[in-house]
Amino acid sequence: MQGFEPVPIIFRRRPSSTFATLSGLHTNPQKSQLIISKAASGLRDSLLATLGFQEGHLPVRYLGLPLISARLSVADCQPLLQKIDSRIKGWEGVQLSFAGRVQLIKSVLISFEVYWAAAFILPKGIINEMIKRLRTFLWKGTSSSGYPKVAWEAVCRPIEEGDLVSKTSLP
């Protein structure tokens, strides 16, 4: 790595130039970022100057998920909880029946967790926090009053046993 010259990088850009010529698609340096590992930090300036990209840092969000180089932490999952909260808050002005809230939990809110769980192993604390938010929305809606009429475990039984909310993705 000591005697690095920009020539290999220019050589690697040629296939993308051929691709650009054939497809009409080009790399946009204003939208592109180069994330450099600690092992390549000595090449930082050369890489950035040669490629013309901005330097990026992890975590980066891609398709709504954080791209991270370590294990997912509770702090990394805050956007998931915020998204659930914003959806619930968006339903504030709507008078939803109990069955309507069950349907929204099953079709909308659980899908956020499933999407994240397809890419990551979610921390137990996040799963517990999600269950708490879903449970609160189910029984109270968006108001501050209400109480559970059935135990959460009974609500999350398998479909064959008459569940209300599928617990297939929750522990």
Side-chain angles (χ1 to χ4, degrees), residues 53-65:
F53 296 159
Q54 299 173 2
E55 183 175 7
H57 301 282
L58 293 176
V60 174
R61 295 181 60 78
Y62 179 70
L63 297 177
L65 297 173

Side-chain angles (χ1 to χ4, degrees), residues 137-154:
F137 176 65
L138 178 65
W139 298 119
K140 296 183 180 182
T142 55
S143 68
S144 59
S145 63
Y147 61 91
K149 290 136 185 95
V150 181
W152 184 251
E153 289 74 25

Side-chain angles (χ1 to χ4, degrees), residues 88 91-102 104 137 141-142:
I88 291 172
W91 297 320
E92 268 181 6
V94 182
Q95 291 291 338
L96 295 169
S97 66
F98 180 80
R101 291 193 301 270
V102 168
L104 286 173
F137 176 65
T142 55

Side-chain angles (χ1 to χ4, degrees), residues 52-89:
F53 296 159
Q54 299 173 2
E55 183 175 7
H57 301 282
L58 293 176
V60 174
R61 295 181 60 78
Y62 179 70
L63 297 177
L65 297 173
L67 296 181
I68 55 175
S69 60
R71 186 181 175 129
L72 194 65
S73 70
V74 173
D76 294 325
C77 294
Q78 290 308 310
L80 171 62
L81 296 177
Q82 291 168 353
K83 190 162 193 151
I84 289 171
D85 290 342
S86 68
R87 279 298 170 105
I88 291 172
K89 195 170 282 223

